[in-house]
Amino acid sequence: MQSIQPLTDIENWEVSGTDEKMQFSGVQFLMNFLGQKTAVLIELKQHGELWAAMEEETDIPLTVQFLVDEQGCKTAVLLDFEEHGEIWEDIYCNLIASLRTDEPKIPLAEVKRSLNEQGKLSG
């Protein structure tokens, strides 16, 4: 069986284009005995709105597991990378986007000009 190769570098947890390692509050990785990240635990208290949006946009498989409190309310979601890699990728991209909302914006025309100057874009 071929495992999913996510767009993100799960092992190093780096965001392409940056030198920093990203860490998110309310997100914890689970590792196997070799120290390889195999799953992620996402706290719904902090990321409940993001998870609710995912549930609306995606058919969440029945294999997704949840942690629940004494009253049976979901408190966290557990995503296994092999089974739920695509869902994690979507969540990861949303987390990155939310971190970058306060970063300075670059006008599209400036980006195109820069790419043209670098020979990465023609026209």
Side-chain angles (χ1 to χ4, degrees):
M1 177 181 210
Q2 185 178 10
S3 65
I4 296 172
Q5 295 299 317
L7 298 174
T8 56
D9 185 351
I10 292 170
E11 282 308 304
N12 294 319
W13 189 229
E14 293 175 3
V15 180
S16 62
T18 68
D19 295 329
E20 62 191 80
K21 291 194 177 195
M22 302 300 292
Q23 294 183 349
F24 300 105
S25 176
V27 175
Q28 298 176 356
F29 290 100
L30 284 72
M31 296 185 219
N32 64 13
F33 68 97
L34 297 173
Q36 299 166 325
K37 295 176 178 118
T38 58
V40 65
L41 187 67
I42 303 165
E43 294 179 25
L44 296 177
K45 184 176 184 179
Q46 291 181 275
H47 303 292
E49 289 181 21
L50 176 57
W51 181 253
M54 288 298 303
E55 288 182 315
E56 285 182 21
E57 297 172 11
T58 310
D59 289 329
I60 303 297
L62 295 175
T63 55
V64 170
Q65 296 179 12
F66 295 92
L67 295 180
V68 296
D69 61 16
E70 298 82 21
Q71 291 79 32
C73 296
K74 296 174 184 175
T75 60
V77 60
L78 176 64
L79 299 174
D80 177 273
F81 291 141
E82 212 170 292
E83 289 185 55
H84 313 113
E86 290 181 23
I87 296 170
W88 167 242
E89 285 181 22
D90 289 344
I91 290 172
Y92 179 80
C93 289
N94 278 284
L95 291 170
I96 295 296
S98 68
L99 281 179
R100 293 183 170 172
T101 56
D102 294 331
E103 288 184 1
K105 310 295 186 261
I106 302 171
L108 180 59
E110 188 177 323
V111 172
K112 285 182 177 180
R113 188 181 77 251
S114 175
L115 290 172
N116 278 325
E117 288 172 0
Q118 297 172 37
K120 296 181 178 180
L121 184 67
S122 59

